[in-house]
Amino acid sequence: MKKIILPAYNKNILRAIYSLKVVDDKLPQPGKDEVLIKVHGAPCNPSDIAFMEGGYNVVKSLPAVPGFEGSGRIIDAGEGAEHLIGSKVSFFGQADCDGSWAEYVCVNKNEMVVLDNAMDMDQAACFAVNPFTARGLLDIALLRNNRTVVQNAAGGQVATFVRQMAGELNIQVIDIVRKRESMETLLKNGAQYVLLEDDEHFDKKLSELCLKLDARLAFDAVGGSLSGRIFNAMPDNAELVVYGGLSTKAISGVSTMDLIFNDKVISGFNLPAWRQQLDDDYFDEISHEMQQQFIQKNYQTRIQGSTGYENIVKGLTGYIRKMSEGKILIKPKV
Ligand SMILES: NC(=O)c1ccc[n+]([C@@H]2O[C@H](COP(=O)([O-])OP(=O)(O)OC[C@H]3O[C@@H](n4cnc5c(N)ncnc54)[C@H](OP(=O)(O)O)[C@@H]3O)[C@@H](O)[C@H]2O)c1
């Protein structure tokens, strides 16, 4: 089998990408409760970028095969998982072992979703993480009874799912983007409130909108000073939920007084932790509901293209230049 390996972490993402190598290896053997998947495809997500930079919370022994999620078919299984042979699956795993940028991968049977046969396998490659993340974030809004949410990196996939699911729940969204072209795309696609990060009146506009729409919950994928500006713009009792660190900067500029006197809080969201606290039946129900939305094409991950292993450098550099245009799928063969 062929697989892609990262020989060393590198803070310079371009150098990390250029260091990726395609190598041959023997087929891995599934252990107890594990399955062997013939991979259809796997996306490159921001978490993979952070992983290759050595800046993610998952650190693997090197050299390692990157890729935390993907789709494929189970072709073999260890003890306790034999009944799954033949199933189509989406998988997501962060253990210290080879990831999804390979022709074959072993994963634990608890790290995957068995798919309806009608699921498109490209869409399935991006199913296990982002749609569930959007759902988990909106569960917070429902629990807090917030009818308006603020989100940044609004041209990205998680944010796109948040906007769509929020619409179905009658939750309004205030979107924040960093590029004017993303603002135009969002407005063209029906987003109602879109702010540009570097608008000179950004803070004032956001604060007025938050007051007007009673926005007391924000989903933050960026970090850095933007987090502080969003936090400060929200009214009393607001919560900033941090789920990504795209800027790679520590959160800054947070009003100390707001934290002490105005009941405002900052919290974090992590998909695996959210999944762990869910009842299995509830998770299966959500998974089934969402698969039906994908099969009916109501939900779709934007995919800007696919790349074979031999063109991985071109594929990944293209993705990091224009992330809002969609995922790049890494496939054994295109
Ligand atoms: N906590 C969790 O469990 C969890 C789960 C899933 C995803 N995430 C996180 O969610 C975030 C979004 O993931 P995704 O898959 O939706 O991303 P994506 O579709 O690949 O898009 C990334 C988006 O972020 C924007 N962006 C990139 N760097 C930025 C920066 N420094 N400042 C502002 N905007 C920036 C991009 O805009 P441009 O087009 O302008 O580049 C693009 O719209 C990532 O941080 C990811 O790690 C977390």
Side-chain angles (χ1 to χ4, degrees), residues 1-3 27-28 36-39 65 73 75 98-106 309 332:
M1 62 172 259
K2 296 218 176 293
K3 63 183 194 180
L27 233 61
L36 175 65
I37 296 169
K38 184 176 192 318
V39 175
V65 178
R73 195 176 281 279
I75 58 157
D98 283 351
S100 58
W101 297 3
E103 278 187 288
Y104 297 87
V105 64
C106 278
Y309 291 177

Side-chain angles (χ1 to χ4, degrees), residues 46-47 129-130 133 153 155-158 178-179 197 221-222 243-247 269-271 319 323-324 327:
S47 52
V129 178
N130 284 346
T133 302
Q157 288 302 311
V158 173
R178 65 172 173 175
K179 291 180 189 155
E197 253 176 74
V222 177
Y243 72 100
L246 286 161
S247 71
F269 175 88
N270 184 29
L271 179 67
Y319 164 69
M323 296 168 104
S324 295
K327 300 296 180 191

Side-chain angles (χ1 to χ4, degrees), residues 11-312:
K11 278 192 182 138
N12 180 324
I13 188 57
L14 283 178
R15 287 202 181 136
I17 291 173
Y18 274 91
S19 76
L20 294 171
K21 284 191 179 63
V22 184
V23 298
D24 291 305
D25 200 358
K26 56 183 193 314
L27 233 61
Q29 291 297 309
K32 186 173 177 326
D33 290 331
E34 282 184 351
V35 296
L36 175 65
I37 296 169
K38 184 176 192 318
V39 175
H40 167 84
C44 175
N45 287 317
S47 52
D48 299 307
I49 299 290
F51 169 75
M52 289 189 281
E53 290 172 336
Y56 196 51
N57 73 321
V58 176
V59 179
K60 295 189 180 190
S61 320
L62 296 176
V65 178
F68 295 124
E69 72 166 333
S71 65
R73 195 176 281 279
I74 297 176
I75 58 157
D76 196 4
E79 186 197 332
E82 299 94 334
H83 60 289
L84 294 163
I85 293 175
S87 307
K88 271 169 76 167
V89 292
S90 292
F91 57 93
F92 166 67
Q94 297 191 319
D96 185 8
C97 55
D98 283 351
S100 58
W101 297 3
E103 278 187 288
Y104 297 87
V105 64
C106 278
V107 307
N108 189 284
K109 67 179 183 186
N110 297 322
E111 294 176 322
M112 57 185 210
V113 176
V114 174
L115 299 173
D116 188 304
N117 253 329
M119 268 294 269
D120 173 84
M121 289 307 270
D122 279 5
Q123 288 297 318
C126 312
F127 177 66
V129 178
N130 284 346
F132 290 94
T133 302
R135 178 68 189 242
L137 290 170
L138 284 166
D139 266 9
I140 303 172
L142 293 175
L143 267 176
R144 287 179 46 107
N145 206 13
N146 291 119
R147 305 316 304 171
T148 307
V149 298
V150 179
Q151 63 173 353
N152 55 18
Q157 288 302 311
V158 173
T160 302
F161 285 124
V162 163
R163 209 163 25 253
Q164 188 164 6
M165 294 177 194
E168 291 156 12
L169 295 164
N170 284 323
I171 293 175
Q172 304 182 95
V173 180
I174 301 171
D175 288 303
I176 300 168
V177 292
R178 65 172 173 175
K179 291 180 189 155
R180 188 163 292 279
E181 69 215 55
S182 303
M183 183 179 197
E184 284 158 9
T185 307
L186 259 61
L187 289 169
K188 202 173 72 195
N189 292 335
Q192 212 173 347
Y193 307 101
V194 189
L195 297 177
L196 198 57
E197 253 176 74
D198 63 6
D199 179 319
E200 59 175 320
H201 303 299
F202 171 81
D203 303 81
K204 184 167 177 284
K205 283 184 183 171
L206 178 59
S207 159
E208 285 172 1
L209 255 186
C210 286
L211 261 186
K212 183 174 153 207
L213 303 175
D214 193 27
R216 293 175 201 268
L217 181 65
F219 303 141
D220 176 18
V222 177
S225 58
L226 184 61
S227 308
R229 293 171 75 190
I230 295 172
F231 180 83
N232 297 346
M234 287 194 295
D236 297 359
N237 301 108
E239 179 170 358
L240 180 85
V241 180
V242 183
Y243 72 100
L246 286 161
S247 71
T248 68
K249 304 247 166 44
I251 287 179
S252 59
V254 171
S255 161
T256 317
M257 296 303 146
D258 269 355
L259 283 167
I260 302 171
F261 298 110
N262 296 333
D263 290 326
K264 290 167 75 169
V265 291
I266 300 180
S267 60
F269 175 88
N270 184 29
L271 179 67
W274 175 74
R275 166 67 188 98
Q276 251 183 355
Q277 60 167 36
L278 291 184
D279 179 74
D280 282 349
D281 289 342
Y282 179 58
F283 180 80
D284 289 347
E285 196 183 306
I286 294 175
S287 167
H288 175 74
E289 258 174 40
M290 287 207 287
Q291 284 188 58
Q292 294 316 307
Q293 295 280 21
F294 273 89
I295 290 165
Q296 287 157 25
K297 297 197 168 26
N298 297 330
Y299 294 174
Q300 294 287 277
T301 291
R302 241 179 349 268
I303 296 173
Q304 54 175 295
S306 298
T307 181
Y309 291 177
E310 65 288 357
N311 289 321
I312 182 112

